[in-house]
Short mmCIF file of all heavy atoms in Angstrom, two decimals:
data_model
loop_
_atom_site.label_atom_id
_atom_site.label_comp_id
_atom_site.label_asym_id
_atom_site.label_seq_id
_atom_site.Cartn_x
_atom_site.Cartn_y
_atom_site.Cartn_z
N LEU A 244 159.69 -24.44 135.70
CA LEU A 244 160.57 -25.61 135.70
C LEU A 244 159.78 -26.92 135.75
O LEU A 244 160.02 -27.83 134.96
CB LEU A 244 161.53 -25.52 136.89
CG LEU A 244 162.46 -26.70 137.11
CD1 LEU A 244 163.30 -26.99 135.88
CD2 LEU A 244 163.39 -26.44 138.29
N ASN A 245 158.85 -27.01 136.68
CA ASN A 245 158.19 -28.30 136.89
C ASN A 245 157.07 -28.59 135.89
O ASN A 245 156.74 -29.76 135.68
CB ASN A 245 157.63 -28.39 138.31
CG ASN A 245 158.73 -28.70 139.30
OD1 ASN A 245 159.53 -29.61 139.08
ND2 ASN A 245 158.80 -27.95 140.38
N ASN A 246 156.50 -27.56 135.30
CA ASN A 246 155.45 -27.81 134.31
C ASN A 246 155.88 -27.45 132.89
O ASN A 246 155.97 -28.32 132.03
CB ASN A 246 154.15 -27.09 134.69
CG ASN A 246 153.48 -27.75 135.91
OD1 ASN A 246 153.75 -28.91 136.22
ND2 ASN A 246 152.62 -27.03 136.57
N ALA A 247 156.15 -26.19 132.64
CA ALA A 247 156.40 -25.76 131.25
C ALA A 247 157.55 -26.56 130.63
O ALA A 247 157.43 -27.09 129.52
CB ALA A 247 156.71 -24.27 131.21
N ALA A 248 158.66 -26.65 131.34
CA ALA A 248 159.86 -27.25 130.75
C ALA A 248 159.81 -28.77 130.74
O ALA A 248 160.51 -29.41 129.98
CB ALA A 248 161.09 -26.77 131.52
N THR A 249 158.98 -29.33 131.59
CA THR A 249 159.05 -30.77 131.87
C THR A 249 157.96 -31.58 131.20
O THR A 249 158.15 -32.77 130.92
CB THR A 249 158.95 -30.95 133.40
OG1 THR A 249 159.92 -30.10 134.02
CG2 THR A 249 159.21 -32.38 133.82
N LEU A 250 156.81 -30.95 130.94
CA LEU A 250 155.63 -31.71 130.53
C LEU A 250 155.86 -32.57 129.29
O LEU A 250 155.40 -33.71 129.24
CB LEU A 250 154.46 -30.76 130.28
CG LEU A 250 153.57 -30.53 131.51
CD1 LEU A 250 152.59 -29.40 131.24
CD2 LEU A 250 152.80 -31.80 131.86
N ARG A 251 156.53 -32.03 128.31
CA ARG A 251 156.66 -32.77 127.07
C ARG A 251 157.42 -34.09 127.28
O ARG A 251 156.94 -35.16 126.91
CB ARG A 251 157.38 -31.94 126.00
CG ARG A 251 157.45 -32.71 124.72
CD ARG A 251 157.94 -31.92 123.53
NE ARG A 251 157.90 -32.83 122.41
CZ ARG A 251 156.84 -33.00 121.63
NH1 ARG A 251 155.78 -32.27 121.82
NH2 ARG A 251 156.86 -33.89 120.67
N HIS A 252 158.56 -34.01 127.92
CA HIS A 252 159.36 -35.22 128.13
C HIS A 252 158.67 -36.17 129.09
O HIS A 252 158.57 -37.37 128.84
CB HIS A 252 160.74 -34.81 128.66
CG HIS A 252 161.75 -35.92 128.64
ND1 HIS A 252 161.98 -36.73 129.74
CD2 HIS A 252 162.57 -36.36 127.67
CE1 HIS A 252 162.92 -37.62 129.42
NE2 HIS A 252 163.29 -37.42 128.18
N MET A 253 158.18 -35.61 130.20
CA MET A 253 157.60 -36.43 131.27
C MET A 253 156.32 -37.15 130.82
O MET A 253 156.00 -38.22 131.33
CB MET A 253 157.30 -35.51 132.45
CG MET A 253 156.79 -36.19 133.70
SD MET A 253 156.77 -35.04 135.10
CE MET A 253 155.50 -33.89 134.61
N SER A 254 155.61 -36.57 129.85
CA SER A 254 154.39 -37.20 129.37
C SER A 254 154.67 -38.15 128.21
O SER A 254 153.75 -38.62 127.56
CB SER A 254 153.37 -36.14 128.94
OG SER A 254 153.81 -35.47 127.77
N GLY A 255 155.93 -38.40 127.97
CA GLY A 255 156.28 -39.29 126.87
C GLY A 255 155.96 -38.68 125.51
O GLY A 255 155.66 -39.39 124.56
#
Side-chain angles (χ1 to χ4, degrees):
Chain A
L244 176 57
N245 282 312
N246 288 340
T249 308
L250 268 170
R251 182 171 182 89
H252 192 266
M253 184 170 68
S254 69

